Amino acid sequence: MICPMKPVATLTIESNVHELARVREFVAETAFSLTDNIDAIDDLVLALNEAVTNVIVHGYQETPGPIRIEVGKDHHSLFVTLSDQSPAYDPTGAPVPDITLPLDQRKPGGLGVHMMRHLTDTLLYERTPDGENRLTLIKYIPGDEK
Amino acid sequence: MNLTAETVQSTVPVTILHLAGDLDAASYLDVIAIAKQHIQAGTKNLLLDLSEMRFMSSSGLVALYSIVMLLRGTPPPNPDEGWNALHAVSREVESASGFERHLKILNPQPRVAKTLNITGFDKLIQVFTDRDTALATFVD
């Protein structure tokens, strides 16, 4: 178990792009109850949106499947943990685009993963013994007093 | 997502698309479809008014890139091929050597502007805060 942090709220949805707005609203409202740092909340919401979209489109390939989202705060960090039962996929291991190479030698890199990395401070992934992908996105909120 | 359009006469005719709401994986195909309708009807210059767009994800970037391709007269990435479309966008942004001449963006809210910035899209598509200034940059 790589994420012992305790969530304060949980939302479970079916894999469907039309659920994305509800996920964003849930994470934003829960996070706002934990911190006043709006910039950090916006970054975390956008990063999570990319992660959930990846699960819906790549993981479940737009077929039904459960997705669980947990939100919490641990000391000076906000975190969101995303759990799903789609085939194993570790976005933290996706290649980083090397933009110094000539175009024809570059390997393609997804913008979604790039955005998740840019908008969070830490991404943690594990494949659980129960066959779940668990991805935790952590955003540091320095000086937060809430 | 709510979309409305108007065409104005500047130096050349420009279609302004007003995009209000959230642009994500649930709505980006609608934006591509509307832009395609206008381009097929003869629109050569598009200004995207994002002042009422609250949220844009990487799916929205695929929509922007698709509109760039449609205006160039080249096939856009096929969203049905999955998120490989994003890989084409990544390559395009990395190789951008100047702003698009026929697609501009007006007044993105701060968090939409941040999405454009962290992905390099603001190097591919010029962003304006004044409508008249934006319209005046369309010249052909």
Side-chain angles (χ1 to χ4, degrees):
Chain A
M1 176 65 71
I2 60 172
C3 183
M5 297 175 287
K6 187 171 176 57
V8 299
T10 300
L11 172 72
T12 300
I13 62 165
E14 273 296 305
S15 175
N16 187 318
V17 292
H18 294 285
E19 291 278 38
L20 288 168
R22 189 158 72 102
V23 169
R24 293 194 295 268
E25 185 177 4
F26 164 74
V27 174
E29 286 185 357
T30 306
F32 190 66
S33 71
L34 302 171
T35 178
D36 293 326
N37 190 327
I38 301 296
D39 288 340
I41 294 172
D42 283 348
D43 286 353
L44 199 59
V45 167
L46 180 52
L48 179 73
N49 184 89
E50 297 302 324
V52 175
T53 302
N54 275 345
V55 169
I56 294 170
V57 176
H58 275 318
Y60 287 121
Q61 300 189 15
E62 305 197 50
T63 59
I67 299 173
R68 187 172 71 252
I69 298 114
E70 300 166 298
V71 183
K73 183 181 171 186
D74 184 52
H75 300 295
H76 290 297
S77 294
L78 276 177
F79 69 89
V80 181
T81 299
L82 171 64
S83 304
D84 67 85
Q85 296 167 11
S86 69
Y89 172 67
D90 179 5
T92 67
V96 178
D98 183 353
I99 60 171
T100 65
L101 292 171
L103 271 180
D104 59 0
Q105 295 179 26
R106 292 181 197 169
K107 294 178 179 176
L111 284 175
V113 172
H114 168 75
M115 290 167 66
M116 287 162 53
R117 287 174 173 158
H118 190 97
L119 293 164
T120 62
D121 293 300
T122 305
L123 292 174
L124 301 172
Y125 171 82
E126 67 174 336
R127 182 75 174 177
T128 72
D130 296 335
E132 277 194 338
N133 295 301
R134 281 177 61 86
L135 178 67
T136 299
L137 302 86
I138 300 174
K139 184 73 176 178
Y140 185 48
I141 40 175
D144 184 78
E145 300 298 334
K146 195 163 186 174
Chain B
M1 162 123 294
N2 185 36
L3 299 97
T4 57
E6 62 175 317
T7 299
V8 299
Q9 182 65 43
S10 184
T11 306
V12 294
V14 178
T15 297
I16 305 175
L17 281 182
H18 304 272
L19 309 179
D22 294 0
L23 180 49
D24 62 8
S27 58
Y28 79 112
L29 291 176
D30 296 337
V31 174
I32 296 172
I34 292 289
K36 190 173 185 179
Q37 284 178 18
H38 284 278
I39 292 165
Q40 288 178 335
T43 292
K44 291 184 170 51
N45 295 294
L46 270 174
L47 177 61
L48 302 180
D49 178 358
L50 305 187
S51 56
E52 294 184 61
M53 180 182 288
R54 299 173 303 183
F55 177 87
M56 181 165 66
S57 69
S58 61
S59 307
L61 300 173
V62 172
L64 295 184
Y65 178 65
S66 298
I67 297 170
V68 167
M69 294 290 100
L70 289 166
L71 286 165
R72 288 179 185 174
T74 54
N78 183 358
D80 292 337
E81 292 177 358
W83 246 231
N84 285 333
L86 278 177
H87 298 160
V89 178
S90 298
R91 289 192 293 271
E92 180 72 21
V93 168
E94 288 170 12
S95 64
S97 56
F99 291 122
E100 287 298 310
R101 292 163 56 200
H102 302 290
L103 179 67
K104 324 263 180 176
I105 288 173
L106 178 64
N107 272 333
Q109 293 184 18
R111 68 178 187 172
V112 172
K114 185 170 186 175
T115 297
L116 297 170
N117 178 258
I118 65 176
T119 54
F121 263 68
D122 56 358
K123 296 180 181 65
L124 179 67
I125 305 171
Q126 198 167 9
V127 177
F128 294 88
T129 56
D130 179 74
R131 171 180 155 134
D132 290 339
T133 303
L135 290 172
T137 62
F138 290 99
V139 293
D140 58 357

